[in-house]
Amino acid sequence: MTQPQLKVAGVSKRFGGLQALSDVGITIMPGQVYGLIGPNGAGKTTFFNVMTGLYTPDSGSFELGGEPYKPTAVHDVARAGIARTFQNIRLFAEMTALENVMVGRHVRTRSGLGGAIFRTPGFKAEEAAIAARAQELLDYVGIGRYAEYKARTLSYGDQRRLEIARALATDPKLIALDEPAAGMNATEKVVLRELIDRIRNDGRTILLIEHDVKLVMGLCDRVTVLDYGKQIAEGTPAEVQRNEKVIEAYLGAGHQAH
């Protein structure tokens, strides 16, 4: 039987008097695009932040590819094999697109500080390989021609794609996308959907938090719905869309997404 790529169970998180998450869990199989949706304040980003090491959970168990991992620090989570993007774009604005992706790739490098200081042949060879891989990833997401442009000069949609390229540079087992379509126009969303499809078809596993219900329902194999920090539904997009609790909480009573 195939191991889940990600299995998170029993996650709870409280901030003072607010119970942000109550016993939340998801199981994502290899190669799936898995959606996490819910109204504003449902706990989606809190769950994401717990899973990727930004917040410490009050309880919960975490496995990646059948191996336990501790979401205690962002760099440890990246080394374990989870890469993420952020709802608010976090690029190095004054670095070039290529340099931004190279930063992501350094999670997987071997040359130590001594190699960097003394510019050893091993360090130089590795840096050349990193630059070549970064260019490949920029081409892959469709912005290779902007390799030498500063990140801040790219369009909003291209900055989103640059973030995805940087996440892919870590060779993740799972790529977690936090509201990747936020602020995009219709054309940019079509390009984003094609890119996510491409990443999936190349064997990656994807967790997607997204407000755009239409995008989620068209892309995802399975969907979990949160409301007030609790899981109210889990299943295929078709099952979730028919769920009365979801229609009431997320889509508005009497309305069904198409």
Side-chain angles (χ1 to χ4, degrees), residues 31-53:
Q32 280 186 336
V33 178
Y34 196 104
L36 187 64
I37 64 171
N40 277 331
K44 304 182 300 293
T45 297
T46 300
F47 180 77
F48 226 53
N49 286 343
V50 164
M51 192 195 89
T52 56

Side-chain angles (χ1 to χ4, degrees), residues 92-102 138 146-152 154 162:
F92 297 103
E94 294 301 321
M95 282 187 178
T96 65
L98 187 76
E99 287 166 343
N100 268 275
V101 181
M102 288 177 72
L138 289 174
Y146 301 133
E148 298 306 324
Y149 286 54
K150 286 189 176 181
R152 64 175 170 76
L154 301 184
L162 176 54

Side-chain angles (χ1 to χ4, degrees), residues 233-254:
E234 197 275 341
T236 65
E239 289 165 349
V240 165
Q241 282 175 286
R242 289 194 299 268
N243 185 296
E244 289 298 326
K245 285 183 182 173
V246 176
I247 293 165
E248 195 176 324
Y250 194 86
L251 305 172

Side-chain angles (χ1 to χ4, degrees), residues 2-7 28 30 62-69 173:
T2 310
Q3 283 274 16
Q5 188 67 276
L6 179 74
K7 187 174 183 181
I28 307 178
F62 303 83
E63 288 181 16
L64 190 65
E67 294 292 318
Y69 80 93
K173 294 172 185 169

Side-chain angles (χ1 to χ4, degrees), residues 9 28 51 57 64 83 102 119-120 124 157-158 186 213 215 231 239:
I28 307 178
M51 192 195 89
L64 190 65
M102 288 177 72
R119 308 287 298 175
T120 62
K124 288 179 183 172
D158 287 344
V213 176
L215 183 72
Q231 239 162 317
E239 289 165 349

